């Protein structure tokens, strides 16, 4: 089951077309999620459903015909200060 937190929105910061590369990022601080595309903030939402868990990639090509993607590198940083 999926839940849409941010509706599909066109952004000038997302590069479209063949052989284009986009760097996407999500910053999670508490229940605030900030979404970045190529270093630019494009959305921010609040969601407190999960306080921990896993992450991954989910793509829904409902809006774009013949869409393909390839994850080149996926990284995360845990910036929680040591206690």
């Amino acid at each position: 089951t999926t839940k849409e937190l941010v509706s599909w929105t066109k952004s000038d910061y997302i590069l479209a077309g063949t052989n284009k590369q986009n760097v996407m990022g999500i910053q999670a601080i508490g229940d605030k999620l900030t979404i970045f595309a190529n270093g630019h903030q494009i959305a921010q939402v609040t969601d407190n459903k999960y306080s921990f868990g896993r992450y991954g990639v989910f793509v829904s090509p409902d809006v774009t015909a013949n869409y393909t993607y390839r994850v080149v590198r996926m990284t995360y940083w845990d910036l929680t200060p040591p206690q």
Side-chain angles (χ1 to χ4, degrees), residues 25-42:
I26 299 175
Q27 179 184 55
I29 299 177
D31 63 355
K32 185 173 20 174
L33 304 171
T34 307
I35 296 92
F36 297 89
N38 299 312
H40 299 275
Q41 180 178 331
I42 59 171

Side-chain angles (χ1 to χ4, degrees), residues 1 3 11 31 35 37 43-44 47 52 61 65 71 74-75 80:
T1 303
K3 178 181 178 187
S11 171
D31 63 355
I35 296 92
Q44 189 172 73
D47 182 43
F52 66 92
V71 176
M74 183 178 278
T75 307
T80 306

Side-chain angles (χ1 to χ4, degrees), residues 75-82:
T75 307
Y76 80 93
W77 295 268
D78 183 351
L79 302 176
T80 306

Side-chain angles (χ1 to χ4, degrees), residues 32-64:
K32 185 173 20 174
L33 304 171
T34 307
I35 296 92
F36 297 89
N38 299 312
H40 299 275
Q41 180 178 331
I42 59 171
Q44 189 172 73
V45 296
T46 301
D47 182 43
N48 63 2
K49 176 135 179 149
Y50 301 104
S51 60
F52 66 92
R54 302 176 189 167
Y55 70 96
V57 177
F58 176 81
V59 176
S60 178
D62 293 341
V63 179
T64 308

